[in-house]
Amino acid sequence: MILTDSLLDFFVETRKHSEDICSPLEIEDYVVQPIVDVSPPKWHLGHTTWFFEEFILRRHGKDYQVFNEDFSFVFNSYYETVGKRVVRSDRGNLSRPSVQKVYEYRSYVTDAIRRLFEENQDQELLAVLEIGIHHEKQHQELLLTDIKYILGNNPLLPNYSDRYDEYPVESHSEDWIAMEEGIYEIGHRSTDFCYDNELGHHKVYLHPYRISNKLATNHDFIDFIEADGYRRFDLWHAEGWDWVQQQGITSPLYWHQIEGEWHYYTLQGLTTVRSAAPVTHISYFEAFAFAQWKGCRLPTEFEWEAAQQYFNWGSRWEWTESAYLPYPNYRKADGALGEYNGKFMVNQKVLRGSSVATPIKHSRPTYRNFFQPNLRWQFTGLRLVQS
Amino acid sequence: MILTDSLLDFFVETRKHSEDICSPLEIEDYVVQPIVDVSPPKWHLGHTTWFFEEFILRRHGKDYQVFNEDFSFVFNSYYETVGKRVVRSDRGNLSRPSVQKVYEYRSYVTDAIRRLFEENQDQELLAVLEIGIHHEKQHQELLLTDIKYILGNNPLLPNYSDRYDEYPVESHSEDWIAMEEGIYEIGHRSTDFCYDNELGHHKVYLHPYRISNKLATNHDFIDFIEADGYRRFDLWHAEGWDWVQQQGITSPLYWHQIEGEWHYYTLQGLTTVRSAAPVTHISYFEAFAFAQWKGCRLPTEFEWEAAQQYFNWGSRWEWTESAYLPYPNYRKADGALGEYNGKFMVNQKVLRGSSVATPIKHSRPTYRNFFQPNLRWQFTGLRLVQS
Amino acid sequence: MILTDSLLDFFVETRKHSEDICSPLEIEDYVVQPIVDVSPPKWHLGHTTWFFEEFILRRHGKDYQVFNEDFSFVFNSYYETVGKRVVRSDRGNLSRPSVQKVYEYRSYVTDAIRRLFEENQDQELLAVLEIGIHHEKQHQELLLTDIKYILGNNPLLPNYSDRYDEYPVESHSEDWIAMEEGIYEIGHRSTDFCYDNELGHHKVYLHPYRISNKLATNHDFIDFIEADGYRRFDLWHAEGWDWVQQQGITSPLYWHQIEGEWHYYTLQGLTTVRSAAPVTHISYFEAFAFAQWKGCRLPTEFEWEAAQQYFNWGSRWEWTESAYLPYPNYRKADGALGEYNGKFMVNQKVLRGSSVATPIKHSRPTYRNFFQPNLRWQFTGLRLVQS
Amino acid sequence: MILTDSLLDFFVETRKHSEDICSPLEIEDYVVQPIVDVSPPKWHLGHTTWFFEEFILRRHGKDYQVFNEDFSFVFNSYYETVGKRVVRSDRGNLSRPSVQKVYEYRSYVTDAIRRLFEENQDQELLAVLEIGIHHEKQHQELLLTDIKYILGNNPLLPNYSDRYDEYPVESHSEDWIAMEEGIYEIGHRSTDFCYDNELGHHKVYLHPYRISNKLATNHDFIDFIEADGYRRFDLWHAEGWDWVQQQGITSPLYWHQIEGEWHYYTLQGLTTVRSAAPVTHISYFEAFAFAQWKGCRLPTEFEWEAAQQYFNWGSRWEWTESAYLPYPNYRKADGALGEYNGKFMVNQKVLRGSSVATPIKHSRPTYRNFFQPNLRWQFTGLRLVQS
């Protein structure tokens, strides 16, 4: 049973957090979209608002007046069920609605939701509200990584703020956790919130493996670079090798070699690479090639979930060897919310864990994140397995 | 001989005019670049400023301190001679420098130019200043048409301001001016300012032709549409036909058919098409096909120049049949300023006249504008010739 | 222990079979490459020959004279280890070497291999020979499907030969085989030949499922088409839906609707669709959408392997839900032969079974075929699972 | 008045010459299309035949039976008026009709034309026959240059035949012909055959210029290369410079530097560059940059035509500075034949003269050839002008 009061608190706190993330920005920073994978910050602010308007207020809000009919066209992301939308690659071409108008839209919808739930205790509707809150939290992580891309892609390499320590060092020494052969249980089981892709709690059979208690570090990765890792085709998937060649990849994203020393862009601007910190902003292709070079491999998502209790995680999303596929008995939700997860279950890789950019109350051992294998703008990292 | 005082007045007035054009904008409108041909308004403001800094202050400014070394990278347009530049398609990906910073840059450079010329009467340097002023005027026209594109491409179709009447009607009736066979003189001759591409005053031999004293109207163009002009391949160049097919072109740019009636986006928002006004926002391909359909043709730029004294012009840039080529004895300037015109003399068409967006003191009978034959976001139109 | 004599017989028979497949062709048919996935028949003939020359004769052939040094450049497919190669999309641009020269190359290498192995009993070398034979068999299937594409893409829709019945009907009625929950053993175990991707014999835990004893038919698929299956985005992956929209897909490959009736191109030319035969030439995206529409799903490759003994298979490669990934303990071979399988283990789907185009001695229950999810020119089909 | 007998002889001789050009080819060489600008030889053989069938036999042949209805789909080039066609980039994907079938098609149509004209003296029809003959002659030049591309693009660099001397030296010393200012007459005037684009005989006014009596040589061009001509952006058009950068152009087409010495592919295979021979296989962009580097320019087509009587020409098509535009009073023909020239009059450059590949009776002082400015596979060259 979902309690209205605490959920409304959670809602308000979540709404506020999105705006906190944007508070260091100039207005101009809200607007641009340097690559198709990144969305303009004002789009995130509008889209997470549109979600509440579309799935709750329009359908269940008594006498609710839509803020602006055109916004559903602008802020729909990929829900084909609910009408037309601005194609993803065009988001950065829209100067209007203005940032101020988007904030007005946010207040308007936040207030309407509060009013609606002050008198509505319907459990099904509360469940949609809960999804909407988690949906906004999910976008908070993208919001921050998109901001990093927008600023880190700018030749002026501006400072964002001093809030985040993106490169916390894991100070313990490396150890290999031995896991036994056998049947393990996988997937979400409690009554707490989770996404549909975590359901279908089920069993898998795992063969013996040893998993590192430590993420691969920048130091390790510099070794890989210096050992010509980006030039040895035998370490790469064919598709990964094409990507390296065509994009001219020679280091993780945001890295610049200046007078022989490795630097990277951080949310505080350009700085020298912190050698002991976990490597990040690497693609699956790079994670795989690195593991090959080490004579190891990446864990499957099942191996990760089975072992995660024995190590600390949370600063990097960790690439796994698993493709993003439905669990046995996976059922997608009816209607537009059914478009949330299932339709992406092809040609993507699962990431497990969470990252320095993940908002609080948005990580758990069964959470399945997923991206195409070439993407690098999230705080991605890797953990090795031996077998 | 160039007089310093009047040129400095002209300079200050020109600098102010660019900012006046932008005054109705939201900050967000300064940033975006929906298509590669359009530049963000803040880029125009910065680039016209960089031109004065690069070609005057850096080279001749005593003790001049460059405002920000990185700006030459950001605001160089295509001058290969003076270092690297942000590729054109990336201009809309830069949120920084902020709009406010660009305005500070403008003031800084404007002031430095004033100080420099208060004590400098060097004729050669004044000539560069004069080019810089005309360069900025040229960008003022682009600034306005780029703003129109940015707003007209937005699904909210916002109003810019009520300043411009884009669709002034030519109320006189159509007449055909008969021009005699013979030798005509072409090109700039006075000591007033002109661009290098107007020089090489020379003779051409023209055969008899009759040129309309009136631009083609929206009414005429609706007839063309209704006569299936966009579906009759025989009216088009092969390359034009490919463009029509691939882009799905069925009307001039900014036109929308709503419930059977033609509307277009103007700087005041969406409105019904003013039937008697000259058609605009058409490509050369469309101008040519329309002329074919009428059993006429477009004038060459020489025919236009020889006859222009007999009709009024100035509300539309007029497509000509002429390719943009050097005049006999054309000499390009030395150094970076030599990149101004000559290097574009291939695969472009000449336009003659000027438009509702042309700033004052920036039109003359010998002015040669030029664009690729598929472009439509300028206030382009057409005038027919019979022969 | 590999017996030389029987392996040599197998070798000779395999070499001959490739040429038999080509015997109905015109010389022109050997040369073209209408899409990048298809290779010209003469390229297959040359490449399978080059494999023996490169990996056996060049390295172990006493006094072996390479037939033509340039051929390794022309006929290498993707082995980065062994030097440069003609990029895949350029294979159809090469008129030379001529078809006759390629046949001479085949004879020359076949003879050299025979001579070498008449006196060589080295087990390691025999193992490479065995791989080469299976490699050629693998190309025989591609050879036939590439020929079908070359002819079926031609507006004249020519007949190839009457040898193949591509559409054998499964005449039994549909039944659902119930499989119990539990641990199953997966992968190759005998000493017979298999590819490295089948090794790493291991256990998986399966949950209960019911699998059809019959492939989906053309009749079923026409129902899907008529139920607007190609227009209902909710049935498709996001990536599949983009593919349908961009490619304008409305039916399986080779299907043409003529005067209201479905026809397809077969190796005997154009004919009406045989309604009761298993559907083929569909992508994974289509197989998935069809299963969604039926309220079923596709089997995983493990479910297929566990149940395959209870149904007949062999006329269609069957799409599974499984991504192509390494088995636990997968080890890729050293050197160039290590490039055979492992480097493709990303963004591909596993197919199980075999097809009407599979040569004899080239199918087994553990065989893992794999293709990108949008490809359709193989004899692909689907089998449903309920759970 | 056109005389039937001599025209029929010309017809037969022309038909035979196309086949003579192909006689050294392997069947495979007839089929491929390595770049979109090149057509497979069998396509040229079929298309020139289809022209006679479509424009003469189908319309005027009594009881004429079309050879194969599908051929008009396969062999139409760009005549939108006469139905669908295989898109240009797909010509190399068609293995059928076979080469033998195309030769049968040729005989069939050649015979039908002979029979038709043995009893038909209609002047209008004879005029179409004459166009058809010249059309085939025009394709003979393309046929030869396409063959050169097909073989020269092949890594085996095969010999075609010893028939052609592609590199005849102009042994006279360079001299500059001074041309006086004044009115010159341009265009075709006699009753002999010409294309519609040569008509509209008219006057032009030329300013004084001096034109070289000699084509630029390979020796000159090597000097340009060694003077870093391909690396000095100031010599190039902006569009030309992009082309050089994107395509990595560093020398004329077919040139290879081997151990410090320049070689090129010729129809006899690879050989060292003949230094004194006229340079060829250069684009307009290269011709322009070379002229800039020499402090000269290219002639306009009018300057070329006015002066051509004072120098020898005929081994190289000569790039001019003129864009391909209609002459005053140009009228395109009615119907499908009107598509012959007019629809290409945008974004192309005029070439004058003829080349070593031009068949006899296919060159005259008024002939206007035209290509996009980046194309190089014709035997193009350049002649300098000073002014």
Side-chain angles (χ1 to χ4, degrees), chain C residues 26 28-29 31-34 70 73 92-93 95-96 98-99 154 156 158, chain D residues 28-29 31-34 70 92-93 95-96 98-99 154-156 158:
Chain C
E26 302 277 358
E28 294 86 339
D29 301 327
V31 181
V32 300
Q33 179 182 35
D70 290 325
F73 177 67
N93 295 333
S95 59
R96 311 287 180 95
S98 67
V99 171
N154 190 300
L156 308 180
Chain D
E28 294 86 340
D29 301 327
V31 181
V32 300
Q33 179 182 35
D70 290 326
N93 295 333
S95 59
R96 311 287 179 93
S98 68
V99 171
N154 191 299
L156 307 181

mmCIF file of all heavy atoms in Angstrom, chain C residues 26 28-29 31-34 70 73 92-93 95-96 98-99 154 156 158, chain D residues 28-29 31-34 70 92-93 95-96 98-99 154-156 158:
data_model
loop_
_atom_site.group_PDB
_atom_site.id
_atom_site.type_symbol
_atom_site.label_atom_id
_atom_site.label_comp_id
_atom_site.label_asym_id
_atom_site.label_seq_id
_atom_site.Cartn_x
_atom_site.Cartn_y
_atom_site.Cartn_z
ATOM 1 N N GLU C 26 25.058 -17.770 -65.397
ATOM 2 C CA GLU C 26 25.757 -17.076 -66.479
ATOM 3 C C GLU C 26 27.019 -16.437 -65.871
ATOM 4 O O GLU C 26 27.044 -16.118 -64.674
ATOM 5 C CB GLU C 26 24.878 -15.944 -67.042
ATOM 6 C CG GLU C 26 23.539 -16.375 -67.575
ATOM 7 C CD GLU C 26 23.623 -16.899 -69.016
ATOM 8 O OE1 GLU C 26 24.731 -16.870 -69.589
ATOM 9 O OE2 GLU C 26 22.588 -17.338 -69.532
ATOM 10 N N GLU C 28 28.005 -13.478 -66.021
ATOM 11 C CA GLU C 28 27.665 -12.183 -65.438
ATOM 12 C C GLU C 28 27.162 -12.312 -64.009
ATOM 13 O O GLU C 28 27.347 -11.402 -63.188
ATOM 14 C CB GLU C 28 26.589 -11.492 -66.289
ATOM 15 C CG GLU C 28 27.030 -11.094 -67.683
ATOM 16 C CD GLU C 28 26.876 -12.206 -68.724
ATOM 17 O OE1 GLU C 28 26.799 -13.396 -68.317
ATOM 18 O OE2 GLU C 28 26.842 -11.890 -69.923
ATOM 19 N N ASP C 29 26.487 -13.424 -63.705
ATOM 20 C CA ASP C 29 25.913 -13.604 -62.366
ATOM 21 C C ASP C 29 26.982 -13.759 -61.288
ATOM 22 O O ASP C 29 26.713 -13.560 -60.107
ATOM 23 C CB ASP C 29 25.000 -14.851 -62.329
ATOM 24 C CG ASP C 29 23.851 -14.773 -63.318
ATOM 25 O OD1 ASP C 29 23.351 -13.652 -63.566
ATOM 26 O OD2 ASP C 29 23.446 -15.830 -63.847
ATOM 27 N N VAL C 31 29.474 -11.936 -60.804
ATOM 28 C CA VAL C 31 30.256 -10.714 -60.617
ATOM 29 C C VAL C 31 29.606 -9.670 -59.711
ATOM 30 O O VAL C 31 30.287 -8.915 -59.026
ATOM 31 C CB VAL C 31 30.547 -10.083 -62.009
ATOM 32 C CG1 VAL C 31 31.387 -8.826 -61.879
ATOM 33 C CG2 VAL C 31 31.218 -11.096 -62.929
ATOM 34 N N VAL C 32 28.277 -9.605 -59.693
ATOM 35 C CA VAL C 32 27.613 -8.444 -59.092
ATOM 36 C C VAL C 32 27.365 -8.598 -57.587
ATOM 37 O O VAL C 32 27.375 -9.702 -57.043
ATOM 38 C CB VAL C 32 26.279 -8.117 -59.811
ATOM 39 C CG1 VAL C 32 26.542 -7.806 -61.273
ATOM 40 C CG2 VAL C 32 25.274 -9.239 -59.638
ATOM 41 N N GLN C 33 27.137 -7.476 -56.928
ATOM 42 C CA GLN C 33 26.929 -7.403 -55.483
ATOM 43 C C GLN C 33 25.865 -6.327 -55.203
ATOM 44 O O GLN C 33 26.190 -5.192 -54.883
ATOM 45 C CB GLN C 33 28.252 -7.015 -54.794
ATOM 46 C CG GLN C 33 28.134 -6.878 -53.288
ATOM 47 C CD GLN C 33 29.443 -6.449 -52.629
ATOM 48 O OE1 GLN C 33 30.203 -5.679 -53.188
ATOM 49 N NE2 GLN C 33 29.676 -6.934 -51.425
ATOM 50 N N PRO C 34 24.593 -6.689 -55.298
ATOM 51 C CA PRO C 34 23.557 -5.649 -55.210
ATOM 52 C C PRO C 34 23.435 -4.974 -53.844
ATOM 53 O O PRO C 34 23.011 -3.840 -53.780
ATOM 54 C CB PRO C 34 22.259 -6.395 -55.535
ATOM 55 C CG PRO C 34 22.617 -7.774 -55.903
ATOM 56 C CD PRO C 34 24.041 -8.024 -55.567
ATOM 57 N N ASP C 70 48.488 -11.106 -55.714
ATOM 58 C CA ASP C 70 47.432 -10.116 -55.550
ATOM 59 C C ASP C 70 46.114 -10.701 -55.050
ATOM 60 O O ASP C 70 45.258 -9.983 -54.563
ATOM 61 C CB ASP C 70 47.168 -9.396 -56.885
ATOM 62 C CG ASP C 70 48.324 -8.496 -57.274
ATOM 63 O OD1 ASP C 70 48.937 -7.915 -56.352
ATOM 64 O OD2 ASP C 70 48.607 -8.381 -58.468
ATOM 65 N N PHE C 73 44.898 -10.112 -51.481
ATOM 66 C CA PHE C 73 44.280 -8.800 -51.289
ATOM 67 C C PHE C 73 42.815 -8.841 -51.716
ATOM 68 O O PHE C 73 41.929 -8.301 -51.047
ATOM 69 C CB PHE C 73 45.054 -7.766 -52.116
ATOM 70 C CG PHE C 73 44.501 -6.394 -52.080
ATOM 71 C CD1 PHE C 73 44.513 -5.647 -50.902
ATOM 72 C CD2 PHE C 73 43.935 -5.821 -53.218
ATOM 73 C CE1 PHE C 73 43.987 -4.361 -50.864
ATOM 74 C CE2 PHE C 73 43.414 -4.540 -53.186
ATOM 75 C CZ PHE C 73 43.440 -3.812 -52.007
ATOM 76 N N GLY C 92 31.847 -6.126 -55.519
ATOM 77 C CA GLY C 92 31.105 -6.160 -56.779
ATOM 78 C C GLY C 92 31.645 -5.194 -57.810
ATOM 79 O O GLY C 92 31.075 -5.054 -58.882
ATOM 80 N N ASN C 93 32.719 -4.492 -57.481
ATOM 81 C CA ASN C 93 33.310 -3.553 -58.440
ATOM 82 C C ASN C 93 34.475 -4.156 -59.211
ATOM 83 O O ASN C 93 35.062 -3.501 -60.042
ATOM 84 C CB ASN C 93 33.795 -2.294 -57.708
ATOM 85 C CG ASN C 93 32.634 -1.541 -57.108
ATOM 86 O OD1 ASN C 93 31.519 -1.621 -57.605
ATOM 87 N ND2 ASN C 93 32.898 -0.815 -56.031
ATOM 88 N N SER C 95 35.918 -6.639 -61.843
ATOM 89 C CA SER C 95 35.640 -7.567 -62.950
ATOM 90 C C SER C 95 36.739 -8.622 -63.068
ATOM 91 O O SER C 95 36.497 -9.705 -63.575
ATOM 92 C CB SER C 95 35.476 -6.801 -64.259
ATOM 93 O OG SER C 95 36.641 -6.055 -64.549
ATOM 94 N N ARG C 96 37.921 -8.283 -62.617
ATOM 95 C CA ARG C 96 39.018 -9.259 -62.648
ATOM 96 C C ARG C 96 39.399 -9.627 -61.223
ATOM 97 O O ARG C 96 39.267 -8.786 -60.347
ATOM 98 C CB ARG C 96 40.249 -8.651 -63.341
ATOM 99 C CG ARG C 96 39.955 -7.995 -64.650
ATOM 100 C CD ARG C 96 39.676 -9.014 -65.735
ATOM 101 N NE ARG C 96 39.391 -8.303 -66.985
ATOM 102 C CZ ARG C 96 40.311 -8.044 -67.935
ATOM 103 N NH1 ARG C 96 41.561 -8.419 -67.755
ATOM 104 N NH2 ARG C 96 39.965 -7.416 -69.041
ATOM 105 N N SER C 98 39.021 -12.872 -63.693
ATOM 106 C CA SER C 98 37.843 -13.382 -64.396
ATOM 107 C C SER C 98 37.366 -14.677 -63.743
ATOM 108 O O SER C 98 38.101 -15.319 -62.989
ATOM 109 C CB SER C 98 38.188 -13.645 -65.856
ATOM 110 O OG SER C 98 39.109 -14.714 -65.917
ATOM 111 N N VAL C 99 36.158 -15.056 -64.075
ATOM 112 C CA VAL C 99 35.591 -16.298 -63.531
ATOM 113 C C VAL C 99 36.471 -17.482 -63.911
ATOM 114 O O VAL C 99 36.759 -18.353 -63.074
ATOM 115 C CB VAL C 99 34.144 -16.481 -64.055
ATOM 116 C CG1 VAL C 99 33.606 -17.852 -63.683
ATOM 117 C CG2 VAL C 99 33.250 -15.362 -63.510
ATOM 118 N N ASN C 154 16.864 -8.687 -59.617
ATOM 119 C CA ASN C 154 16.916 -8.279 -61.021
ATOM 120 C C ASN C 154 15.488 -8.134 -61.560
ATOM 121 O O ASN C 154 14.648 -9.003 -61.344
ATOM 122 C CB ASN C 154 17.678 -9.360 -61.812
ATOM 123 C CG ASN C 154 17.986 -8.915 -63.220
ATOM 124 O OD1 ASN C 154 17.082 -8.623 -63.995
ATOM 125 N ND2 ASN C 154 19.259 -8.857 -63.556
ATOM 126 N N LEU C 156 14.267 -8.706 -64.254
ATOM 127 C CA LEU C 156 13.853 -9.798 -65.144
ATOM 128 C C LEU C 156 13.502 -11.069 -64.382
ATOM 129 O O LEU C 156 12.975 -12.014 -64.970
ATOM 130 C CB LEU C 156 14.951 -10.089 -66.174
ATOM 131 C CG LEU C 156 15.469 -8.880 -66.976
ATOM 132 C CD1 LEU C 156 16.557 -9.309 -67.959
ATOM 133 C CD2 LEU C 156 14.329 -8.194 -67.720
ATOM 134 N N PRO C 158 14.983 -13.848 -63.255
ATOM 135 C CA PRO C 158 15.296 -15.077 -63.993
ATOM 136 C C PRO C 158 15.228 -16.335 -63.141
ATOM 137 O O PRO C 158 15.369 -16.294 -61.928
ATOM 138 C CB PRO C 158 16.728 -14.840 -64.479
ATOM 139 C CG PRO C 158 17.294 -13.796 -63.587
ATOM 140 C CD PRO C 158 16.154 -12.981 -63.079
ATOM 141 N N GLU D 28 33.113 -10.315 -67.874
ATOM 142 C CA GLU D 28 32.954 -9.717 -66.549
ATOM 143 C C GLU D 28 33.100 -8.199 -66.588
ATOM 144 O O GLU D 28 32.487 -7.492 -65.795
ATOM 145 C CB GLU D 28 33.993 -10.297 -65.577
ATOM 146 C CG GLU D 28 33.827 -11.774 -65.261
ATOM 147 C CD GLU D 28 34.521 -12.695 -66.269
ATOM 148 O OE1 GLU D 28 34.814 -12.260 -67.406
ATOM 149 O OE2 GLU D 28 34.778 -13.863 -65.908
ATOM 150 N N ASP D 29 33.931 -7.702 -67.496
ATOM 151 C CA ASP D 29 34.177 -6.256 -67.565
ATOM 152 C C ASP D 29 32.948 -5.474 -68.022
ATOM 153 O O ASP D 29 32.846 -4.265 -67.799
ATOM 154 C CB ASP D 29 35.327 -5.950 -68.541
ATOM 155 C CG ASP D 29 36.627 -6.618 -68.155
ATOM 156 O OD1 ASP D 29 36.880 -6.777 -66.944
ATOM 157 O OD2 ASP D 29 37.409 -6.981 -69.061
ATOM 158 N N VAL D 31 30.046 -5.687 -66.871
ATOM 159 C CA VAL D 31 28.962 -5.749 -65.892
ATOM 160 C C VAL D 31 29.090 -4.750 -64.747
ATOM 161 O O VAL D 31 28.099 -4.284 -64.199
ATOM 162 C CB VAL D 31 28.884 -7.184 -65.306
ATOM 163 C CG1 VAL D 31 27.757 -7.311 -64.300
ATOM 164 C CG2 VAL D 31 28.720 -8.207 -66.420
ATOM 165 N N VAL D 32 30.304 -4.386 -64.362
ATOM 166 C CA VAL D 32 30.496 -3.687 -63.089
ATOM 167 C C VAL D 32 30.383 -2.172 -63.219
ATOM 168 O O VAL D 32 30.511 -1.601 -64.305
ATOM 169 C CB VAL D 32 31.836 -4.059 -62.425
ATOM 170 C CG1 VAL D 32 31.899 -5.552 -62.157
ATOM 171 C CG2 VAL D 32 33.006 -3.605 -63.272
ATOM 172 N N GLN D 33 30.155 -1.529 -62.086
ATOM 173 C CA GLN D 33 29.982 -0.069 -62.004
ATOM 174 C C GLN D 33 30.640 0.430 -60.715
ATOM 175 O O GLN D 33 29.976 0.615 -59.704
ATOM 176 C CB GLN D 33 28.472 0.259 -61.970
ATOM 177 C CG GLN D 33 28.172 1.734 -61.855
ATOM 178 C CD GLN D 33 26.686 2.040 -61.777
ATOM 179 O OE1 GLN D 33 25.926 1.286 -61.190
ATOM 180 N NE2 GLN D 33 26.277 3.158 -62.338
ATOM 181 N N PRO D 34 31.946 0.662 -60.751
ATOM 182 C CA PRO D 34 32.640 0.958 -59.483
ATOM 183 C C PRO D 34 32.244 2.285 -58.838
ATOM 184 O O PRO D 34 32.349 2.416 -57.636
ATOM 185 C CB PRO D 34 34.121 0.989 -59.871
ATOM 186 C CG PRO D 34 34.212 0.592 -61.299
ATOM 187 C CD PRO D 34 32.853 0.600 -61.898
ATOM 188 N N ASP D 70 10.762 -5.496 -70.932
ATOM 189 C CA ASP D 70 11.470 -5.107 -69.702
ATOM 190 C C ASP D 70 12.718 -4.273 -69.964
ATOM 191 O O ASP D 70 13.224 -3.612 -69.074
ATOM 192 C CB ASP D 70 11.880 -6.360 -68.915
ATOM 193 C CG ASP D 70 10.673 -7.072 -68.317
ATOM 194 O OD1 ASP D 70 9.714 -6.380 -67.929
ATOM 195 O OD2 ASP D 70 10.703 -8.303 -68.233
ATOM 196 N N GLY D 92 25.076 -1.363 -61.991
ATOM 197 C CA GLY D 92 26.090 -2.396 -61.812
ATOM 198 C C GLY D 92 25.601 -3.565 -60.980
ATOM 199 O O GLY D 92 26.368 -4.473 -60.682
ATOM 200 N N ASN D 93 24.351 -3.545 -60.585
ATOM 201 C CA ASN D 93 23.798 -4.647 -59.791
ATOM 202 C C ASN D 93 23.055 -5.658 -60.650
ATOM 203 O O ASN D 93 22.528 -6.630 -60.127
ATOM 204 C CB ASN D 93 22.855 -4.107 -58.714
ATOM 205 C CG ASN D 93 23.599 -3.258 -57.708
ATOM 206 O OD1 ASN D 93 24.788 -3.458 -57.500
ATOM 207 N ND2 ASN D 93 22.917 -2.313 -57.095
ATOM 208 N N SER D 95 22.976 -8.500 -63.333
ATOM 209 C CA SER D 95 23.746 -9.464 -64.121
ATOM 210 C C SER D 95 23.005 -9.807 -65.414
ATOM 211 O O SER D 95 23.623 -10.195 -66.392
ATOM 212 C CB SER D 95 24.022 -10.716 -63.296
ATOM 213 O OG SER D 95 22.821 -11.317 -62.876
ATOM 214 N N ARG D 96 21.700 -9.672 -65.404
ATOM 215 C CA ARG D 96 20.910 -9.929 -66.599
ATOM 216 C C ARG D 96 20.281 -8.637 -67.096
ATOM 217 O O ARG D 96 19.993 -7.769 -66.273
ATOM 218 C CB ARG D 96 19.777 -10.930 -66.291
ATOM 219 C CG ARG D 96 20.212 -12.147 -65.563
ATOM 220 C CD ARG D 96 21.000 -13.096 -66.462
ATOM 221 N NE ARG D 96 21.424 -14.277 -65.682
ATOM 222 C CZ ARG D 96 20.709 -15.413 -65.614
ATOM 223 N NH1 ARG D 96 19.555 -15.526 -66.223
ATOM 224 N NH2 ARG D 96 21.163 -16.428 -64.907
ATOM 225 N N SER D 98 22.065 -10.826 -70.079
ATOM 226 C CA SER D 98 23.467 -11.195 -70.264
ATOM 227 C C SER D 98 24.078 -10.397 -71.413
ATOM 228 O O SER D 98 23.362 -9.808 -72.226
ATOM 229 C CB SER D 98 23.568 -12.684 -70.572
ATOM 230 O OG SER D 98 22.999 -12.922 -71.849
ATOM 231 N N VAL D 99 25.386 -10.408 -71.475
ATOM 232 C CA VAL D 99 26.088 -9.699 -72.544
ATOM 233 C C VAL D 99 25.650 -10.235 -73.905
ATOM 234 O O VAL D 99 25.382 -9.464 -74.839
ATOM 235 C CB VAL D 99 27.616 -9.840 -72.348
ATOM 236 C CG1 VAL D 99 28.378 -9.304 -73.550
ATOM 237 C CG2 VAL D 99 28.037 -9.132 -71.059
ATOM 238 N N ASN D 154 40.757 -1.529 -60.624
ATOM 239 C CA ASN D 154 40.964 -2.923 -60.222
ATOM 240 C C ASN D 154 42.396 -3.079 -59.704
ATOM 241 O O ASN D 154 43.336 -2.621 -60.354
ATOM 242 C CB ASN D 154 40.729 -3.831 -61.432
ATOM 243 C CG ASN D 154 40.667 -5.288 -61.032
ATOM 244 O OD1 ASN D 154 41.634 -5.827 -60.499
ATOM 245 N ND2 ASN D 154 39.544 -5.939 -61.273
ATOM 246 N N PRO D 155 42.571 -3.723 -58.545
ATOM 247 C CA PRO D 155 43.934 -3.840 -58.003
ATOM 248 C C PRO D 155 44.885 -4.589 -58.935
ATOM 249 O O PRO D 155 46.102 -4.449 -58.805
ATOM 250 C CB PRO D 155 43.742 -4.582 -56.678
ATOM 251 C CG PRO D 155 42.340 -5.096 -56.662
ATOM 252 C CD PRO D 155 41.546 -4.267 -57.623
ATOM 253 N N LEU D 156 44.357 -5.357 -59.892
ATOM 254 C CA LEU D 156 45.238 -6.082 -60.816
ATOM 255 C C LEU D 156 45.695 -5.211 -61.981
ATOM 256 O O LEU D 156 46.576 -5.610 -62.747
ATOM 257 C CB LEU D 156 44.531 -7.339 -61.341
ATOM 258 C CG LEU D 156 43.959 -8.290 -60.283
ATOM 259 C CD1 LEU D 156 43.308 -9.497 -60.942
ATOM 260 C CD2 LEU D 156 45.024 -8.749 -59.291
ATOM 261 N N PRO D 158 44.715 -4.372 -65.072
ATOM 262 C CA PRO D 158 44.901 -5.126 -66.319
ATOM 263 C C PRO D 158 45.069 -4.233 -67.549
ATOM 264 O O PRO D 158 44.623 -3.101 -67.573
ATOM 265 C CB PRO D 158 43.622 -5.950 -66.432
ATOM 266 C CG PRO D 158 42.618 -5.281 -65.592
ATOM 267 C CD PRO D 158 43.347 -4.513 -64.528
#
